[in-house]
């Protein structure tokens, strides 16, 4: 028998090895496919919660899942906190204040204010958060405690706070000035605007200082209460409109109506330095008798009232109507409630058209707001 060659005997072995290698490779590929599938399923399960998370939390989850994946710029940074949504926090939120670097401080210096048309002491004081008497006391040389003496263009001293702006006199002492103005020496010394050296506090005569909390009595500038009986007033003192008296006539009803058609304030309200109210009225508007009575002043008044009418109501009440452009009644006339007695204007010491309205009872002044409907 013929022997087979060596090449013929090795062929079956080589074919068998190739089959084994193919089977091994296929097994590895199958295993890798299973691993890839498992990884894909795990990754999808990992991403599922991110879809329901608020924006901004994905980076936090990625950092928690794989800290080694952080870029160099993020190494050492803590994870961002979850945003607080409206209604989810038990704490009270506070809005950021952007302009709190420099605190507001009270003004210390005295400033000058130029009176404008329509101004009044009451309105000027309110504009600077002061009491009206503080403005009067700061301008005694010009106003002499009469708020009706202001005029357009007048320059007024406006103090930095309520009190008396006092001009230091030769021989004054802190104790004497404080006692006179019913204030405390310490308040005068410690007020920064007075700029005093506390180790040696001296003030030159003529210097204006503020006496915080100080006050003094007013000098009232008024037309006297004139009765319908014998008045005995002097026209040279009170003005050409003063009536001699000894009249008889209509009596008041005891109730009052508004003396003009408007019912709003325009100028000074009723206060210790202004015992009346200033009612807004157009130039030439009719002015009515607030109640029935007899006219005891009709015409020009000295002292700032301008054209004025005063009515005695015969029951203890008198009413006064000032700054009229024209008077349409006369001394001794009886007028009924609502009768036209003049026309609104701005005569006398006035910075704008209005009606100065006073109510008096038994010689004393009462607030008109108490009797007007």
């Amino acid at each position: 028998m013929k022997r087979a060659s060596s090449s013929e005997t090795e062929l079956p072995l080589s074919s068998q090895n190739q089959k084994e290698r193919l089977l091994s490779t296929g097994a590895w590929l199958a295993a890798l496919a299973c691993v890839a599938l498992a990884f894909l399923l795990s990754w999808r399960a990992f991403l599922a919660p991110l879809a329901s998370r608020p924006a901004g939390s994905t980076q936090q989850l990625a950092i928690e899942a794989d800290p080694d994946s952080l870029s160099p710029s993020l190494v050492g940074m803590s994870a961002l906190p979850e945003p607080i949504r409206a209604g989810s926090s038990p704490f009270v939120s506070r809005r950021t204040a952007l302009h709190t670097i420099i605190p507001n401080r009270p003004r210390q210096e005295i400033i000058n204010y130029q009176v404008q048309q329509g101004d009044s002491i009451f309105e000027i004081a309110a504009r600077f958060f002061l009491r009206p008497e503080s403005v009067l006391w700061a301008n005694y040389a010009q106003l002499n405690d009469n708020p009706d003496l202001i005029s357009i263009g007048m320059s007024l001293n406006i103090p930095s706070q309520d009190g008396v702006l006092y001009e230091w006199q030769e021989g004054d002492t802190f104790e004497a000035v404080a006692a006179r103005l019913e204030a405390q020496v310490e308040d005068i010394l410690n007020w920064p605007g007075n700029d005093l050296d506390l180790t040696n506090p001296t003030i030159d005569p003529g210097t204006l200082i503020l006496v915080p909390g100080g006050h003094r009595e007013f000098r009232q500038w008024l037309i006297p209460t004139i009765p319908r009986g014998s008045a005995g007033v002097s026209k040279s003192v009170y003005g050409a409109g003063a009536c001699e008296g000894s009249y008889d006539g209509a009596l008041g009803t005891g109730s009052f109506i508004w003396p003009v058609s408007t019912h709003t304030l325009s100028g000074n309200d009723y206060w210790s330095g202004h015992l009346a109210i200033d009612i807004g009225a157009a130039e030439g508007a009719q002015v009515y008798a607030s109640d029935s009575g007899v006219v005891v002043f009709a015409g020009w008044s000295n002292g700032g009232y301008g054209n004025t009418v005063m009515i005695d109501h015969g029951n203890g009440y008198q009413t006064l109507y000032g700054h009229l452009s024209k008077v349409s009644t006369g001394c001794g006339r009886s007028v009924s409630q609502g009768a036209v007695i003049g026309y609104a204007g701005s005569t006398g010491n006035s910075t704008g058209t209005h009606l100065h309205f006073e109510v008096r009872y038994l010689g004393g002044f009462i607030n008109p707001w108490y009797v007007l409907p």
Side-chain angles (χ1 to χ4, degrees):
M1 176 179 283
K2 188 178 180 179
R3 176 180 284 182
S5 66
S6 61
S7 60
E8 291 175 351
T9 59
E10 291 177 359
L11 179 61
L13 292 175
S14 176
S15 175
Q16 184 176 358
N17 290 338
Q18 289 179 355
K19 290 181 178 179
E20 290 176 356
R21 282 196 293 269
L22 289 173
L23 290 174
S24 176
T25 301
W28 277 104
L29 291 175
L32 289 174
C34 291
V35 172
L37 179 61
F39 178 81
L40 179 61
L41 293 176
S42 300
W43 181 250
R44 292 183 62 183
F46 174 76
L47 293 179
L50 297 181
S52 60
R53 287 275 183 135
S57 61
T58 304
Q59 183 180 11
Q60 180 181 353
L61 289 174
I63 292 172
E64 294 172 352
D66 188 7
D68 295 334
S69 65
L70 291 173
S71 65
S73 62
L74 297 178
V75 174
M77 294 179 60
S78 60
L80 295 176
E82 290 289 336
I84 299 176
R85 298 189 177 277
S88 63
S89 173
F91 304 105
V92 177
S93 62
R94 176 177 291 176
R95 181 173 295 178
T96 303
L98 301 179
H99 304 288
T100 58
I101 298 175
I102 302 176
N104 291 325
R105 295 184 176 90
R107 175 172 58 86
Q108 298 177 2
E109 71 280 1
I110 300 167
I111 62 176
N112 292 320
Y113 175 80
Q114 191 172 38
V115 177
Q116 308 294 319
Q117 183 173 358
D119 276 344
S120 68
I121 294 295
F122 188 86
E123 291 175 329
I124 293 171
R127 194 174 306 157
F128 291 97
F129 306 101
L130 297 170
R131 295 196 303 264
E133 52 264 41
S134 294
V135 178
L136 273 185
W137 291 334
N139 297 277
Y140 183 79
Q142 296 187 88
L143 301 179
N144 206 5
D145 283 346
N146 187 348
D148 288 322
L149 287 182
I150 65 170
S151 58
I152 298 173
M154 179 182 288
S155 180
L156 298 178
N157 293 320
I158 306 298
S160 53
Q161 75 166 41
D162 284 317
V164 177
L165 193 60
Y166 176 75
E167 182 177 346
W168 201 260
Q169 304 296 319
E170 185 74 37
D172 276 343
T173 65
F174 289 99
E175 291 75 13
V177 171
R180 189 185 315 156
L181 300 178
E182 301 182 16
Q184 300 297 321
V185 173
E186 293 77 10
D187 292 339
I188 302 174
L189 292 173
N190 294 328
W191 177 244
N194 289 334
D195 195 23
L196 298 175
D197 181 1
L198 296 182
T199 62
N200 183 28
T202 58
I203 302 177
D204 294 330
T207 302
L208 287 176
I209 67 164
L210 181 67
V211 182
H215 67 278
R216 60 178 176 77
E217 296 298 325
F218 283 107
R219 178 183 178 184
Q220 299 288 357
W221 294 86
L222 305 167
I223 294 177
T225 299
I226 301 174
R228 61 177 66 198
S230 179
V233 295
S234 170
K235 292 181 180 293
S236 61
V237 175
Y238 298 113
C243 302
E244 297 178 355
S246 298
Y247 307 123
D248 193 13
L251 298 176
T253 64
S255 63
F256 297 86
I257 64 172
W258 281 82
V260 287
S261 58
T262 53
H263 300 172
T264 57
L265 196 67
S266 175
N268 289 298
D269 201 348
Y270 184 90
W271 53 284
S272 56
H274 186 260
L275 304 178
I277 61 173
D278 291 340
I279 306 174
E283 179 76 24
Q286 292 181 333
V287 176
Y288 313 109
S290 189
D291 196 7
S292 304
V294 172
V295 176
V296 293
F297 196 106
W300 186 260
S301 165
N302 298 333
Y305 284 86
N307 289 323
T308 302
V309 170
M310 180 184 287
I311 300 175
D312 180 275
H313 302 287
N315 54 8
Y317 282 100
Q318 290 86 24
T319 52
L320 181 143
Y321 315 75
H323 303 307
L324 304 177
S325 61
K326 180 181 178 182
V327 172
S328 60
T329 188
C331 291
R333 292 186 185 177
S334 289
V335 293
S336 58
Q337 187 179 61
V340 176
I341 57 174
Y343 301 89
S346 185
T347 57
N349 295 112
S350 171
T351 61
T353 303
H354 66 279
L355 176 67
H356 175 96
F357 180 63
E358 298 178 6
V359 179
R360 309 179 185 187
Y361 182 68
L362 299 179
F365 290 79
I366 64 174
N367 191 334
W369 293 110
Y370 294 156
V371 300
L372 291 175

